[in-house]
Amino acid sequence: MPSKFINSLSILLLLLLLLCVQSQSRKALKHRNSSLRDPLVNLWPLPKEFTHGAQTLTVDPSLALQTLGAGGDSKIVVEAFERYKGLIFTHRGNDLLKYDVGKLTVVVASDGDALEFGVDEKYNLYIDGGIGRSIISGATIEANTVYGALRGLETFSQLCVFNYDTKTVEVDKAPWYIHDEPRFPFRGLLLDTSRHFLPLNVIKQVIQSMSYAKLNVLHWHIIDEQSFPLEVPSYPDLWKGAYTKWERYTVEDAQEVVNFAKNRGIHVMAEVDVPGHAESWGAGYPNLWPSPNCTEPLDVTKDFTFEVISGILTDMKRIFPFGLFHLGGDEVNTGCWSSTPHVKQWLEQHNMTTKDAYQYFVLRAQEMAISHNWIPVNWEETFNTFKEKLNPKTVVHNWLGPGVCPQAVAKGFRCIVSNQGVWYLDHLDIPWEGFYDSEPLEGIADSSQQELVLGGEVCMWGETADTSDVLQTIWPRAAAAAERMWSSREATAPGSINSTVLPRLHYFRCLLNHRGVPAAPVNNAYARQPPGGPGSCFAQ
């Protein structure tokens, strides 16, 4: 009884102190808007609001974790703290008699850890050594959910820097008061494992690196016309379409990816691209092909085709809990449908053109996904071809060029931006500035329509990327888009990005390198190239 009473008083006292600090920091924010454009603040992505001082604080290598609130002691938080502690304290240093920051307090209001679309990711971060205006000594992260706490831990880790002269980890420019939340709920990266198989540990490396830039959706383009590497228990011969028997993912592998991502606050959105991009399906079930000479699109005339799709979706629902599911629908060349006798006859019997059959196929697949309580996502060709017929729940995924999202939201559809001219990572000639200058809300002035833009996604298509170069191709350009999707529009449009943004991006690229992520130099004329000669990581 006494211990519970003391604990309650401690929590109450801390919350009162946090309210006091919040009040102080809000007042300070009004006078420190210029800090949003401070090129010397090495945080990526830039927080929504922050103030800092001029003190330097030392951080105890035995940094302790104190958890408070209903969800503070979540396994997700505790394990993340240990991960970040390992990233912060990578060097053996001096042992001081006293450190300014010896404890990190994490307060999480909610006791749930369901990772649902739109989950609250905002957090407040306070760091003070007790010498400044704060009445809290140490560091505190305050969040409504464990996922907000994860974002706060990332920011805290970026503020902790090893000083080689003093051989201590320090937080410069203290005290810090940060209030942060993402601009968009969907901040994605597409990873293609069909064109080249990526081992499980490489996928995990990609997910881990995504968390450093606060990206939160891995769009897993698992299968395509070239290979079908995923196990589907309902139709076990489908993965005969894998390149080899050593380049496959079991159900357990996929579940491991989802769980690994969840522990880092990252959703996994799977894609089954239909009716095109599906030639590999026929390696195990040739009846899915209209004929041996017409191997895609899938045969629209057979119930078996839709039975297989239903089986895939049923099995995938057990693996992928994310509320959005990608059904593809792009680049569907229906020419061989009209030249295959039994398909041509079926079209005539149903008084359909091939365009009608394409619509019929997409809409039927959408109904299946919706029956599993998924929100269907389709590439923009479906909207461009038959927008009036799409299910109103459809999320339109732009890729061909600008202008589609403004049209989609004007019709009441939600939209994801991935304009290939600026956000396709396999386009090696797009420099970091192209990724950074791309604005998801371009051409959308109405605020109610702007809310229909869920966010964006950079796409790592795999034709020329495999284990040997995929991470170098993703980073650091993906980070440029990540800040665009996280930080406020005002903060990411500060004038000359070469003086206000580039130094921070150099710093973040070096941070990735120090954390074991092989991010390529920022200033390459072509992405993923090695350095052209000797030089500092901070200037290449």
Side-chain angles (χ1 to χ4, degrees):
M1 185 73 170
S3 61
K4 291 183 180 177
F5 177 68
I6 292 171
N7 190 47
S8 299
L9 281 178
S10 300
I11 294 174
L12 179 61
L13 178 60
L14 179 65
L15 292 176
L16 287 172
L17 293 178
L18 287 174
L19 287 172
C20 180
V21 171
Q22 278 187 302
S23 174
Q24 292 175 339
S25 64
R26 294 291 184 196
K27 291 175 183 176
L29 284 167
K30 294 179 181 178
H31 304 289
R32 295 297 301 274
N33 289 336
S34 62
S35 66
L36 286 174
R37 302 186 179 189
D38 186 346
L40 300 178
V41 172
N42 290 316
L43 291 174
W44 197 283
L46 206 62
K48 183 178 181 180
E49 298 174 330
F50 62 89
T51 65
H52 63 77
Q55 303 168 16
T56 297
L57 305 178
T58 56
V59 185
D60 193 337
S62 300
L63 184 70
L65 173 66
Q66 179 184 31
T67 59
L68 295 172
D73 61 353
S74 162
K75 183 180 178 183
I76 290 177
V77 171
V78 174
E79 290 182 351
F81 172 77
E82 292 300 327
R83 285 199 307 275
Y84 278 108
K85 194 173 176 181
L87 292 174
I88 293 168
F89 301 103
T90 56
H91 301 277
R92 292 189 63 182
N94 289 329
D95 290 325
L96 302 180
L97 294 176
K98 183 180 179 182
Y99 293 90
D100 300 307
V101 180
K103 179 175 66 178
L104 174 63
T105 300
V106 178
V107 186
V108 180
S110 171
D111 63 352
D113 66 357
L115 184 58
E116 297 174 346
F117 182 59
V119 68
D120 189 341
E121 296 177 86
K122 64 176 172 289
Y123 67 92
N124 297 320
L125 172 61
Y126 314 98
I127 307 176
D128 200 297
I131 342 173
R133 62 177 174 267
S134 172
I135 52 177
I136 292 181
S137 176
T140 300
I141 295 170
E142 180 189 25
N144 289 326
T145 71
V146 295
Y147 303 108
L150 291 181
R151 307 304 175 223
L153 281 166
E154 174 58 40
T155 301
F156 175 74
S157 73
Q158 290 188 22
L159 289 173
C160 295
V161 179
F162 186 74
N163 184 325
Y164 283 84
D165 292 323
T166 63
K167 296 185 180 179
T168 56
V169 170
E170 298 175 345
V171 174
D172 197 17
K173 295 182 172 62
W176 283 92
Y177 301 91
I178 296 174
H179 169 70
D180 200 11
E181 61 183 309
R183 184 177 170 212
F184 293 103
F186 188 108
R187 307 178 306 281
L189 184 149
L190 178 147
L191 193 64
D192 174 7
T193 59
S194 171
R195 276 50 181 263
H196 283 97
F197 178 84
L198 295 175
L200 214 57
N201 66 329
V202 175
I203 297 174
K204 288 180 178 180
Q205 288 173 37
V206 171
I207 292 170
Q208 184 68 60
S209 63
M210 288 172 64
S211 71
Y212 301 151
K214 297 186 173 74
L215 292 173
N216 73 334
V217 179
L218 177 73
H219 174 179
W220 194 359
H221 190 86
I222 312 177
I223 55 182
D224 209 293
E225 62 189 66
Q226 288 84 1
S227 73
F228 196 118
L230 181 66
E231 178 185 19
V232 178
S234 297
Y235 291 91
D237 286 345
L238 280 170
W239 70 352
K240 287 183 177 179
Y243 286 125
T244 67
K245 64 181 180 180
W246 300 284
E247 295 170 292
R248 292 174 171 177
Y249 304 108
T250 66
V251 167
E252 292 78 11
D253 289 337
Q255 289 171 334
E256 186 175 340
V257 168
V258 171
N259 292 332
F260 184 88
K262 179 186 176 182
N263 289 334
R264 287 148 184 82
I266 295 174
H267 308 278
V268 180
M269 177 177 70
E271 179 176 358
V272 174
D273 196 346
V274 293
H277 288 279
E279 180 178 356
S280 62
W281 300 31
Y285 297 96
N287 284 341
L288 293 170
W289 291 334
S291 76
N293 297 319
C294 172
T295 54
E296 59 181 20
L298 295 167
D299 195 326
V300 67
T301 72
K302 295 174 183 173
D303 288 337
F304 178 63
T305 300
F306 296 97
E307 289 168 7
V308 171
I309 294 173
S310 178
I312 293 172
L313 295 181
T314 298
D315 288 344
M316 284 194 164
K317 187 61 180 180
R318 300 187 183 105
I319 304 170
F320 301 102
F322 186 44
L324 278 63
F325 192 91
H326 210 299
L327 291 168
D330 62 310
E331 298 181 321
V332 180
N333 183 355
T334 58
C336 80
W337 274 353
S338 55
S339 62
T340 302
H342 79 271
V343 179
K344 183 178 180 180
Q345 182 182 10
W346 183 88
L347 292 171
E348 291 171 353
Q349 289 173 348
H350 290 80
N351 195 28
M352 283 187 184
T353 64
T354 53
K355 178 182 174 182
D356 295 330
Y358 168 42
Q359 173 186 304
Y360 164 77
F361 202 120
V362 168
L363 297 184
R364 189 165 173 182
Q366 282 194 337
E367 289 174 5
M368 292 179 185
I370 291 169
S371 72
H372 288 288
N373 295 318
W374 269 318
I375 297 169
V377 184
N378 282 100
W379 294 109
E380 69 174 74
E381 286 95 326
T382 58
F383 174 81
N384 297 337
T385 309
F386 47 87
K387 59 179 70 71
E388 297 81 6
K389 301 295 184 180
L390 282 175
N391 190 290
K393 295 181 178 180
T394 304
V395 176
V396 177
H397 195 165
N398 148 256
W399 75 277
L400 286 170
V404 173
C405 275
Q407 296 175 42
V409 298
K411 293 287 185 182
F413 292 102
R414 288 171 290 182
C415 192
I416 297 169
V417 179
S418 288
N419 179 357
Q420 64 173 336
V422 287
W423 276 8
Y424 265 33
L425 293 160
D426 59 311
H427 291 196
L428 304 181
D429 58 344
I430 303 175
W432 75 269
E433 298 96 328
F435 283 80
Y436 196 84
D437 285 336
S438 179
E439 171 49 51
L441 298 182
E442 189 69 40
I444 307 172
D446 184 277
S447 59
S448 62
Q449 293 181 7
Q450 288 180 348
E451 292 178 1
L452 296 175
V453 179
L454 300 182
E457 177 180 286
V458 289
C459 298
M460 184 62 263
W461 295 106
E463 283 86 350
T464 64
D466 65 4
T467 297
S468 69
D469 60 6
V470 66
L471 282 156
Q472 293 94 323
T473 314
I474 292 172
W475 304 109
R477 293 181 304 158
E483 179 160 284
R484 176 63 59 194
M485 291 185 280
W486 177 278
S487 305
S488 65
R489 189 171 184 175
E490 296 75 19
T492 53
S496 173
I497 62 175
N498 284 325
S499 61
T500 60
V501 178
L502 181 57
R504 286 191 302 108
L505 185 57
H506 275 304
Y507 188 90
F508 184 70
R509 180 253 169 164
C510 296
L511 176 72
L512 291 176
N513 286 175
H514 278 282
R515 292 182 175 185
V517 180
V522 174
N523 291 332
N524 282 345
Y526 289 91
R528 76 183 179 208
Q529 288 183 325
S536 166
C537 169
F538 296 94
Q540 290 185 331

